[in-house]
Amino acid sequence: MRHIINVIVLIVVVTVGLLFLVNKIDWMPVAASTAAGPIDWLFGLNLDVITVLYVLVNGIMLYSVFAFRRKRGDDSEGAYFHSNTKLEISWIVIPTVVVLAFAVVGGSVLKQVSAADKDELKVIVTGRQWSWTFEYPDLGITTTELNLPINKQAHFLLHSEDVIHSFWVPQFRLKQDLVPGQEEELRITPTLRGSYQLMCAELCGTSHAYMVAPVNVLSAADFEIWRQKRLGIYKEPAGGGAGEDPAALGAKVASSAGCAACHSIDGSKLVGPSWKGLYGRTETMADGSTVTADDAYLHESIVNPGAKLVQGYADLMPKNYGDALTEQEIKGIIEYIKTLK
Ligand code: CUA
């Protein structure tokens, strides 16, 4: 009886202390979608229950190791037990009930976060080694950065061109694999304006870590301005500021559009030729001919990368940059390459 009281006191004290600590820690990044509420709640519930079970199992075990260890000079045999029906029933019933309860609660949260709104923005997401493209079929826009209006559900249709990738913006909480040959879907309603990062959460090859894309949650008005700019129908308000420096724009696009995953800027050889010292260089093509890397060649290599392939490199570059980048962005990249001497 003394041992039972000791172990109960030990477990209660440690559980209360650990629950306090576990709930003090801020485990999650900022919450930026409607899914964050129910998912963070479920995560917290999981953590609490796991904490209690962890202390229960380890508390009894560690207490027993100390309390029932062999005392000095005591060589007697321990008492002999054969099974304990009550204990066995309880360790079958309790975990079963806990797991079933979590299945029910988890199912209801899943239903909640995947519910479709009537008014949704369709976005076709394509992943490939190692970049992302976003197509807005209702807007006629294709881009390499994901812009979303706040408080409007985005309905993502996800495709992979090669291997399994995984669509993940931690601030939105939801994650969905892209499986080749299959269309996956995911619904997200952003609730917090800001800039986030989409990352690939499935190890997909050497440049997996570079398979990222910027995500911007914009106000409805800013999203409309972006839409008009992309379509080239935006009218600058009178007295509008000067345009961005092309090379600076190019540097930004190079990291957001996935260029940096395959083209180094320090001369090291990746999947594609390095951009360092590229402008003006004479390159030998796969067929032995030579080409000077001037504006026209760089432009062609961005929009039609297979046309003139540098010797020693495979035809791996995505073929859709002509659609996904604006003319201004392509010019920006070329200006950026010129600065990499
Ligand atoms: Cu795609 Cu990792």
Side-chain angles (χ1 to χ4, degrees), residues 165 200 202 204 208 211:
H165 303 281
C200 178
E202 186 71 51
C204 59
H208 153 74
M211 192 171 165

Side-chain angles (χ1 to χ4, degrees), residues 128-130 132 163-166 200-205 208-209 211:
R128 67 188 72 74
Q129 290 168 316
W130 291 278
W132 300 95
V163 299
I164 300 178
H165 303 281
S166 188
C200 178
E202 186 71 51
L203 188 59
C204 59
H208 153 74
M211 192 171 165

Side-chain angles (χ1 to χ4, degrees), residues 32-315:
S33 87
T34 50
I39 286 176
D40 291 0
W41 171 80
L42 184 59
F43 179 80
L45 184 66
N46 250 295
L47 208 55
D48 289 349
V49 171
I50 288 166
T51 303
V52 172
L53 288 176
Y54 177 83
V55 178
L56 185 70
V57 171
N58 287 283
I60 294 173
M61 186 185 74
L62 289 176
Y63 182 84
S64 303
V65 166
F66 281 101
F68 304 114
R69 69 190 186 280
R70 190 175 72 89
K71 308 283 189 310
R72 193 182 292 275
D74 176 8
D75 284 328
S76 61
E77 292 278 325
Y80 180 74
F81 295 95
H82 180 81
S83 77
N84 183 326
T85 310
K86 275 187 212 156
L87 200 58
E88 285 167 21
I89 289 176
S90 67
W91 78 46
I92 292 170
V93 170
I94 295 173
T96 306
V97 169
V98 170
V99 169
L100 288 178
F102 268 113
V104 172
V105 177
S108 109
V109 166
L110 183 63
K111 190 173 169 224
Q112 210 177 328
V113 300
S114 51
D117 280 359
K118 268 202 214 81
D119 181 29
E120 54 181 27
L121 175 70
K122 198 186 283 180
V123 184
I124 300 171
V125 177
T126 306
R128 67 188 72 74
Q129 290 168 316
W130 291 278
S131 64
W132 300 95
T133 309
F134 312 99
E135 187 193 340
Y136 302 72
D138 301 330
L139 308 181
I141 291 173
T142 303
T143 160
T144 55
E145 61 175 346
L146 180 59
N147 282 329
L148 299 171
I150 192 168
N151 295 330
K152 179 168 174 126
Q153 187 171 76
H155 183 194
F156 297 103
L157 301 169
L158 307 132
H159 299 263
S160 168
E161 289 182 357
D162 36 45
V163 299
I164 300 178
H165 303 281
S166 188
F167 180 99
W168 186 39
V169 181
Q171 291 82 359
F172 294 158
R173 300 294 190 273
L174 299 169
K175 190 194 272 177
Q176 176 61 54
D177 278 6
L178 284 69
V179 181
Q182 233 165 284
E183 180 173 79
E184 306 294 343
E185 62 175 350
L186 182 65
R187 291 185 160 87
I188 289 170
T189 309
T191 53
L192 186 68
R193 264 188 296 167
S195 296
Y196 312 104
Q197 192 177 47
L198 163 65
M199 22 194 148
C200 178
E202 186 71 51
L203 188 59
C204 59
T206 48
S207 287
H208 153 74
Y210 297 99
M211 192 171 165
V212 294
V215 178
N216 303 305
V217 176
L218 307 171
S219 67
D222 286 345
F223 185 78
E224 177 57 21
I225 291 175
W226 173 75
R227 183 189 76 86
Q228 293 183 9
K229 278 186 175 163
R230 289 295 312 200
L231 294 173
I233 55 173
Y234 181 67
K235 285 186 198 68
E236 222 36 85
E244 193 173 3
D245 169 47
L249 171 71
K252 227 171 13 180
V253 175
S255 71
S256 69
C259 311
C262 299
H263 299 282
S264 79
I265 56 168
D266 62 0
S268 54
K269 184 177 169 172
L270 300 177
V271 176
S274 176
W275 284 356
K276 185 181 163 75
L278 171 60
Y279 189 77
R281 191 161 68 199
T282 303
E283 294 278 35
T284 307
M285 299 295 114
D287 63 5
S289 63
T290 56
V291 168
T292 302
D294 55 10
D295 290 63
Y297 172 71
L298 293 178
H299 192 283
E300 179 183 39
S301 297
I302 293 169
V303 301
N304 185 11
K308 296 195 182 77
L309 217 52
V310 178
Q311 203 166 57
Y313 292 94
D315 185 11

